[in-house]
């Protein structure tokens, strides 16, 4: 490994700029485009690329998919060395935590969208939904390929087995525990589980709960770790209660395969799960029988009487700062973004343009009203410097509290020190 | 005045007298020319990057901006970093836990497998197969073995979640490591035994030494040079561990070893200077441990 590191660091600076600079004398342009792997998304990307190439015979799109487990690392490393693709598709956590501070991306070019200003591009989208692609100064670096609100799925068949009414889903996390015990009694031992896939997933669950308990990872100015605050402790305590002390499911038996999330829900083993629009589409494709039994309901809250709080996140199409074909890249992105109805019908990816929820394809998706409501209550995750290290720290703290049974106070005190060390160095 | 011309003194083992230049033959030049590409590649891919890592360990470098000199700050940070300390301890645990048993097992097996018996070649092949297979492939298979409903639990009639607890995950990696690495050392010990003269064993037998005495008084002392090499390799391989930790646990549950820490620091956090500092520390540590090992074995007449 030291050798790999040595070669990597020694080679930096010797690497050439990214693809897309091979315009021949005949005016042909090659654009490179990377995404992670999500089969329905890949299928639509390939179709749109073929259409775009037929409409623009001088443009060739080289499309690559990177396995989810190595996607973030490969993308960050390649862009950091001045290489990487012309067009990327990346989540807002990575963009705000790593890409913007390192100036790896190019600000949006409104001309590519046929607009005269960035404000004109923004005006098409629901206010606030583009915040995930804005840097600290408010400059916009991309448009969403998908915008996800957080909802909750229940297996209605399991509910009926347990004598529960699927029309009366859990409204609070305490309901989840109570219902879970009844589901256990009916033989459904995986009543509710989080997905323990990698640090990013741990972070999103923690922030989902912390949004409701008033917790946070960093102070408002991003300079101080706040994991020892009451709200943060309550969030982890709630996680421990749901996963460990309530006994409604054994987190150790949860599927941990990051390349195929939601296996337990899709296979009909798990009864309740936190979901996103794309997860339902994935289950529909892989296990249509189970999908028929699932209902999507609002995310349970800590306090049912309080204003609901949810979490949103997005993936954004952006252009590499080192690209030699920025203008062409933005034109292609504009084409991808214009297929907003097909993203909904084919992949269940929401393009959060104004009025999307009342479009004909949106109305075909049975649970879309729940998702739309989740957007209204949603908050983007908190993100700070050296966020990968911070997420690793959250991961470790949760493992210690949930799997090893260490006291929440202790693990969060240690995690707080580690986060402070990461952001301050 | 009488002058005495000293005669050249021949150095034992030397084929030529000192002071006389050896003629360079054409075939030497051809040999040197043929070696040159390999030497250049080695210099470019090993020596230069190694030196560059030493250099970068003194800088704050995130790839996107020019390196900024910070002196020994990276080393200072690491000295105070509990995560790095834990990674070193995890590497130490894995190295000792895996390689001490693997060495002992390999030695015992080598003594047994040295004897001539039917099907011995196949037995040796079976032990060597895990060595020839990649860590990643083996780790994927072991994930299935260590699954709650996997082969290990089913065989032992136990219910242990091996990979989801700090108390078991590190042991799971050790068990897998012993299984994978024993064959490697077995081959080395077998090679050592094959070179061992039979007459010393026969003499010991004539003197009335039993099997145990023959092993401890004859076989083991004669194998010390091989044991020294094996133990040096074992420490280096132990601290180079990376793939099984990535595949089986991703570094969770106290299995983040030093190399995984380096990888995350360099490629997930883009802190190249700090990752280089870890690489430098590990290089120095392994050099020191190797020297100590060699000295210990030398003191014992190896």
């Amino acid at each position: 490994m030291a050798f790999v590191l040595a070669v990597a660091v020694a080679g930096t600076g010797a690497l050439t700029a990214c693809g897309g600079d091979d315009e021949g004398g005949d005016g042909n342009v090659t654009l490179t485009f990377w995404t992670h792997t999500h089969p329905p998304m890949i299928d639509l990307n390939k179709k749109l690329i073929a259409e775009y190439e037929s409409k623009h015979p001088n443009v060739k799109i080289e499309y690559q998919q990177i396995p989810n487990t190595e996607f973030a690392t490969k993308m960050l490393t390649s862009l950091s060395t001045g290489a990487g693709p012309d067009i990327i598709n990346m989540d807002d956590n990575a963009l705000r935590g790593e890409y913007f501070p390192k100036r790896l991306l190019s600000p949006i070019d409104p001309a590519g969208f046929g607009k005269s200003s960035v404000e004109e591009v923004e005006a098409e989208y629901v206010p606030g939904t583009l915040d995930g692609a804005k840097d600290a100064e408010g400059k916009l670096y991309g448009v969403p390929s998908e915008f996800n609100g957080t909802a909750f799925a229940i297996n209605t068949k399991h509910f009926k087995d347990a004598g529960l009414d699927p029309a009366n889903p859990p409204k609070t996390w305490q309901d989840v525990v109570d219902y879970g015990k009844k589901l256990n009694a009916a033989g459904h031992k995986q009543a509710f589980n989080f997905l323990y896939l990698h640090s990013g997933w741990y972070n999103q669950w923690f922030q989902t709960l912390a949004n409701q308990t008033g917790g946070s990872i960093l102070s408002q100015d991003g300079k101080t770790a706040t994991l020892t605050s009451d709200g943060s402790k309550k969030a982890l305590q709630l996680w421990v209660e749901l996963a460990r002390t309530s006994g409604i499911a054994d987190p150790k038996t949860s599927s941990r395969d990051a390349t195929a999330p939601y296996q337990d829900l899709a296979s009909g083993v798990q009864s309740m799960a936190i979901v996103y629009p794309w997860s339902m589409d994935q289950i529909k494709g892989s296990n249509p029988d189970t999908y028929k039994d699932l209902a999507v309901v609002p995310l349970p809250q800590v306090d049912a009487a309080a204003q609901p709080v949810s979490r949103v996140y997005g993936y954004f199409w952006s252009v590499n700062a080192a690209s030699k074909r920025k203008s062409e890249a933005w034109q292609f992105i504009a084409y991808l973004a214009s297929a907003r109805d097909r993203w909904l019908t084919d992949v269940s990816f929401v393009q959060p343009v104004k009025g999307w929820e009342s479009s004909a394809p949106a109305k075909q998706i049975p649970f879309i009203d729940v998702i739309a409501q989740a957007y209204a209550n949603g908050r983007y995750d908190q993100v700070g410097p050296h966020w990968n290290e911070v997420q690793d720290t959250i991961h470790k703290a949760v493992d210690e509290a949930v799997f090893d049974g260490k006291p929440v106070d202790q693990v969060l005190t240690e995690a707080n020190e580690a986060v402070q060390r990461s952001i301050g160095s | 005045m009488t002058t005495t011309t000293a005669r050249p003194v021949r150095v034992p083992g030397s084929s030529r007298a000192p002071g006389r230049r050896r003629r360079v033959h054409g075939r030497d030049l051809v040999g040197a020319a043929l070696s040159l590409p390999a030497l250049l590649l080695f210099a470019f891919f090993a020596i230069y990057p190694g030196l560059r890592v030493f250099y970068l360990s003194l800088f704050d470098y995130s790839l996107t901006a020019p390196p900024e000199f910070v002196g020994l700050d990276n080393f200072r940070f690491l000295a105070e970093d509990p995560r790095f300390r834990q990674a070193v301890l995890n590497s130490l645990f894995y190295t000792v836990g895996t390689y001490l048993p693997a060495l002992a097992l390999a030695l015992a097996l080598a003594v047994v497998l040295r004897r001539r018996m039917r099907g011995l070649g196949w037995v040796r092949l079976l032990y060597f197969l895990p060595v020839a297979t990649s860590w990643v492939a083996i780790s994927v298979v072991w994930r299935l073995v260590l699954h709650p409903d996997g082969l290990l639990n089913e065989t032992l009639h136990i219910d242990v979640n091996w990979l989801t607890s700090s108390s078991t995950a590190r042991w799971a990696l050790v068990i897998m490591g012993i299984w994978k690495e024993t064959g490697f050392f077995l081959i080395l010990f077998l090679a050592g035994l094959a070179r061992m003269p039979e007459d010393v064993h026969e003499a010991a037998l004539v003197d009335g030494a039993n099997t145990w005495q023959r092993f401890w008084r004859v076989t083991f002392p004669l194998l010390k040079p091989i044991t020294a090499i094996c133990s040096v390799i074992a420490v280096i391989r132990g601290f180079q561990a990376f793939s099984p930790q990535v595949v089986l646990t991703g570094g969770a549950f106290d299995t983040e070893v030093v190399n995984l820490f380096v990888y995350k620091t360099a490629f997930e956090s883009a802190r190249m200077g700090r990752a280089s500092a870890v690489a430098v520390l590990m290089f120095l540590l392994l050099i020191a441990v190797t020297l100590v090992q060699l000295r210990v074995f030398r003191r014992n007449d190896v």
Side-chain angles (χ1 to χ4, degrees):
Chain A
M1 175 49 56
F3 177 73
V4 172
L5 172 72
V7 172
V9 295
T12 56
L15 291 168
T16 55
C18 65
D21 58 348
D22 52 348
E23 184 178 15
D26 52 3
N28 288 336
V29 172
T30 299
L31 296 172
T32 46
F33 174 33
W34 289 4
T35 69
H36 64 297
T37 52
H38 178 60
M41 173 191 74
I42 293 168
D43 289 346
L44 184 55
N45 270 329
K46 285 180 176 172
K47 286 179 195 166
L48 293 171
I49 287 168
E51 291 168 17
Y52 192 78
E53 286 177 340
S54 73
K55 287 177 182 169
H56 302 81
N58 65 322
V59 179
K60 167 87 179 141
I61 312 284
E62 287 182 355
Y63 177 41
Q64 281 191 41
Q65 306 92 48
I66 318 292
N68 298 353
T69 46
E70 57 195 74
F71 180 59
T73 306
K74 185 165 183 178
M75 191 75 94
L76 179 62
T77 308
S78 60
L79 263 66
S80 296
T81 53
D86 295 286
I87 300 153
I88 73 161
N89 185 225
M90 185 49 74
D91 68 90
D92 64 275
N93 263 290
L95 295 183
R96 293 180 290 141
E98 301 286 347
Y99 290 51
F100 298 156
K102 292 184 168 67
R103 302 181 187 283
L104 299 175
L105 301 177
S106 173
I108 201 164
D109 175 11
F113 294 82
K115 309 285 186 191
S116 57
S117 69
V118 176
E119 287 72 25
E120 271 188 62
V121 177
E122 283 196 53
E124 289 199 348
Y125 289 86
V126 176
T129 56
L130 298 183
D131 289 354
K134 287 181 179 174
D135 67 10
E137 283 78 45
K139 193 178 280 184
L140 183 65
Y141 286 83
V143 292
S145 59
E146 58 180 293
F147 184 71
N148 294 291
T150 313
F152 202 66
I154 60 170
N155 188 312
T156 57
K157 183 173 176 300
H158 290 194
F159 266 52
K160 287 171 191 162
D161 293 345
L164 296 165
D165 180 7
N168 182 28
K171 293 180 179 57
T172 65
W173 292 111
Q174 186 55 51
D175 289 345
V176 172
V177 172
D178 296 340
Y179 285 29
K181 287 177 177 167
K182 289 178 180 167
L183 286 158
N184 282 171
H188 299 296
K189 298 299 180 191
Q190 283 287 330
F192 167 77
N193 244 336
F194 295 96
L195 272 72
Y196 300 90
L197 305 183
H198 56 64
S199 298
W201 284 83
Y202 279 71
N203 178 59
Q204 63 181 271
W205 302 141
F206 182 78
Q207 298 220 28
T208 301
L209 299 178
N211 281 346
Q212 297 183 12
T213 58
S216 59
I217 299 170
L218 301 178
S219 58
Q220 284 289 327
D221 62 5
K223 291 180 179 168
T224 311
T226 54
L227 282 171
T228 50
S229 69
D230 285 347
S232 302
K233 286 179 185 172
K234 279 180 191 164
L236 186 53
Q237 195 60 57
L238 176 57
W239 192 330
V240 171
E241 168 68 10
L242 286 163
R244 185 182 178 89
T245 48
S246 71
I248 59 173
D250 183 357
K252 292 182 176 180
T253 60
S254 168
S255 168
R256 300 170 76 91
D257 185 355
T259 56
Y262 292 104
Q263 280 183 25
D264 296 335
L265 183 66
S267 63
V269 171
Q270 195 175 330
S271 307
M272 299 182 279
I274 300 172
V275 292
Y276 306 107
W278 60 265
S279 22
M280 300 311 295
D281 199 66
Q282 181 174 294
I283 294 168
K284 189 179 180 180
S286 60
N287 289 61
D289 289 341
T290 309
Y291 177 80
K292 282 186 291 188
D293 293 331
L294 298 180
V296 178
V297 300
L299 183 72
Q301 302 288 309
V302 168
D303 179 1
Q307 173 70 25
V309 184
S310 181
R311 169 184 176 270
V312 294
Y313 77 96
Y315 267 74
F316 291 82
W317 290 302
S318 298
V319 174
N320 186 346
S323 170
K324 301 281 197 312
R325 292 285 168 266
K326 293 188 180 75
S327 169
E328 291 86 345
W330 283 116
Q331 285 173 40
F332 173 62
I333 287 175
Y335 183 77
L336 291 173
S338 69
R340 50 193 59 147
D341 286 353
R342 291 165 73 186
W343 283 110
L344 256 179
T345 53
D346 293 13
V347 196
S348 290
F349 277 5
V350 171
Q351 308 287 302
V353 292
K354 287 175 181 166
W356 70 270
E357 68 274 22
S358 53
S359 67
K363 289 187 171 165
Q364 297 299 311
I365 299 175
F367 51 85
I368 208 69
D369 54 331
V370 175
I371 298 295
Q373 188 59 38
Y375 291 159
N377 306 325
R379 289 183 197 161
Y380 270 110
D381 279 346
Q382 194 175 30
V383 175
H386 305 297
W387 203 241
N388 283 328
E389 288 180 6
V390 173
Q391 292 189 145
D392 281 349
T393 301
I394 301 285
H395 184 166
K396 186 170 187 291
V398 172
D399 276 346
E400 288 177 349
V402 171
F403 290 92
D404 291 340
K406 288 188 183 175
V408 164
D409 270 350
Q410 181 193 328
V411 301
L412 282 183
T413 300
E414 290 170 5
N416 204 59
E417 288 170 16
V419 169
Q420 193 63 52
R421 216 170 21 250
S422 286
I423 62 174
S425 63
Chain B
M1 191 168 74
T2 308
T3 58
T4 307
T5 307
R7 296 182 65 183
V9 178
R10 288 184 88 83
V11 177
S14 168
S15 61
R16 61 191 172 91
R20 283 180 64 188
R21 292 202 173 182
R22 185 170 169 251
R23 284 183 63 192
V24 178
H25 294 286
R27 65 179 181 185
D28 294 334
L29 290 173
V30 171
L34 289 172
S35 308
L36 199 58
L39 287 172
L40 284 174
L41 285 173
F42 181 72
F44 185 73
F45 285 110
I47 296 175
Y48 168 67
L51 294 174
R52 178 105 171 133
V53 162
F54 270 87
Y55 172 77
L56 279 176
S57 67
L58 304 174
F59 289 81
D60 180 12
Y61 183 36
S62 67
L63 292 174
T64 52
E68 184 188 334
F69 184 75
V70 293
L72 296 176
D73 274 5
N74 288 325
F75 295 95
R76 219 168 281 136
F77 180 90
L78 291 169
E80 296 165 357
D81 186 18
R83 183 173 170 180
F84 173 64
R85 278 203 296 272
Q86 187 62 48
V88 174
L89 288 176
N90 293 341
S91 278
L92 199 60
F93 179 88
Y94 178 77
T95 304
V96 174
T98 299
Y99 288 95
L100 271 184
L103 286 172
L105 198 56
L107 181 58
L109 283 167
V111 172
V112 172
L113 294 178
R114 184 192 180 204
R115 296 172 186 165
R116 291 192 178 86
M117 58 176 99
R118 279 174 70 87
L120 196 58
W122 286 104
V123 176
R124 287 177 180 171
L125 177 68
L126 277 178
Y127 276 106
F128 193 67
L129 267 180
V131 182
T133 313
S134 83
W135 269 110
V136 173
I138 277 176
S139 302
V140 170
V141 172
W142 270 82
R143 264 176 71 166
L144 302 175
V145 172
L146 296 167
H147 190 272
D149 301 324
L151 185 68
L152 191 59
N153 281 359
E154 292 292 318
T155 306
L156 300 177
H157 299 291
I158 54 176
D159 184 21
V160 179
N161 292 293
W162 290 95
L163 300 176
T164 50
S165 165
S166 297
S167 57
T168 53
R170 54 209 330 233
W171 285 108
L173 282 154
V174 160
I175 292 168
M176 187 184 106
I178 294 170
W179 176 82
K180 167 97 164 81
E181 294 289 72
T182 298
F184 177 79
F185 297 107
L186 171 65
I187 297 300
L188 293 180
F189 280 125
L190 281 173
L193 287 170
R195 291 175 55 198
M196 200 172 285
E198 274 299 318
D199 49 358
V200 290
H201 284 278
E202 287 162 5
L205 199 62
V206 170
D207 287 346
N210 61 27
T211 307
W212 192 243
Q213 286 169 328
R214 287 202 304 277
F215 174 76
W216 275 117
R217 301 290 170 82
V218 179
T219 308
F220 189 64
L222 288 173
L223 272 179
K224 273 188 179 172
I226 294 289
T227 311
I229 292 167
C230 285
S231 53
V232 169
I233 294 173
V235 171
I236 293 171
R237 284 171 83 95
F239 272 84
Q240 281 181 335
F242 175 76
S243 303
Q245 283 78 7
V246 170
V247 176
L248 290 179
T249 60
F253 304 112
D254 284 343
T255 62
E256 186 178 74
V257 286
V258 172
N259 269 350
L260 187 50
F261 178 82
V262 172
Y263 173 79
K264 288 185 172 181
T265 305
F267 300 112
E268 291 184 359
S269 302
R271 297 195 199 242
M272 290 293 173
R274 191 171 295 167
S276 299
V278 181
V280 168
L281 285 176
M282 282 305 104
F283 174 77
L284 296 176
L285 177 71
L286 286 178
I287 290 283
V289 171
T290 302
L291 289 175
V292 169
Q293 282 177 295
L294 292 178
R295 174 159 289 199
V296 167
F297 278 102
R298 195 171 295 140
R299 197 176 291 159
N300 288 300
D301 301 329
V302 175

